[in-house]
Amino acid sequence: MNNKTAGYLLLELLLALGCLGLAAVMLYPESKTLQRHYYRQQLRYTAYLLAADIRQMQQQTLFQPENYMYTLKISDSDKHSYRIYRSRKIWKRVNLDADISLTGEKQIKNLSYNENGNPTDSGSYRLQHRQLPDMYCLLTVQPVTGRVTVYEK
């Protein structure tokens, strides 16, 4: 008389849990790498959005018949946002992620373009992520052409 019931032994269940635990331990360093990659991509995306806004300001100034003056301003107190003014009225307000800070050189706190597409100031903006202290993105505005370049350091 064989009275065996079908099922798993305790040893088999412990072996399966051990394998799952080992796989989780092996994937843990990968999750740190993935988080770092996510933060880097978030910083790059923000830098390219800011560069696109600066280029759009230049294009609007050049090709609009009304010749509105567009000015980009960074707040001294809040380093997580910037505003673009069109003839002293807010045209666009951008709030950045709370982990990303934006700073500009003193001469480029207020960036605008004249009717020829030349910037009134030249310099750079620096974007930095709180989770990546060793990395930042630098946006430079060239003096004569107003060309915007993005560097990652």
Side-chain angles (χ1 to χ4, degrees):
M1 292 196 200
N2 202 350
N3 250 354
K4 279 190 173 180
T5 58
Y8 295 105
L9 295 175
L10 180 60
L11 182 63
E12 292 171 333
L13 289 174
L14 288 175
L15 185 63
L17 284 174
C19 289
L20 287 173
L22 183 64
V25 167
M26 290 172 53
L27 290 177
Y28 180 72
E30 276 300 308
S31 68
K32 291 283 187 188
T33 305
L34 288 175
Q35 279 182 338
R36 190 166 169 77
H37 180 69
Y38 169 74
Y39 295 143
R40 182 177 289 145
Q41 288 299 97
Q42 192 178 22
L43 187 62
R44 285 180 189 153
Y45 179 72
T46 305
Y48 285 114
L49 281 179
L50 177 59
D53 283 343
I54 293 171
R55 290 180 187 122
Q56 184 180 18
M57 282 175 40
Q58 185 182 29
Q59 293 297 319
Q60 293 284 350
T61 304
L62 273 171
F63 297 115
Q64 268 194 347
E66 298 89 14
N67 283 332
Y68 289 114
M69 177 68 98
Y70 289 85
T71 306
L72 183 133
K73 292 184 180 182
I74 302 172
S75 173
D76 288 331
S77 59
D78 179 23
K79 295 186 178 187
H80 306 292
S81 66
Y82 63 90
R83 291 172 184 79
I84 299 175
Y85 293 88
R86 176 180 162 181
S87 298
R88 298 187 181 157
K89 293 182 182 175
I90 294 178
W91 181 62
K92 186 174 187 178
R93 179 179 295 149
V94 179
N95 293 320
L96 306 176
D97 189 78
D99 288 333
I100 296 177
S101 63
L102 172 65
T103 54
E105 293 179 350
K106 289 184 180 174
Q107 70 266 23
I108 200 166
K109 289 282 185 188
N110 300 330
L111 174 68
S112 57
Y113 289 91
N114 62 18
E115 62 276 355
N116 296 327
N118 301 332
T120 55
D121 296 319
S122 63
S124 60
Y125 293 104
R126 180 180 173 143
L127 287 161
Q128 190 159 11
H129 201 287
R130 185 183 314 165
Q131 303 295 332
L132 301 171
D134 57 333
M135 184 193 156
Y136 60 91
C137 284
L138 197 67
L139 279 83
T140 59
V141 179
Q142 303 301 319
V144 175
T145 62
R147 181 176 179 221
V148 180
T149 54
V150 179
Y151 299 104
E152 184 179 312
K153 297 187 179 195

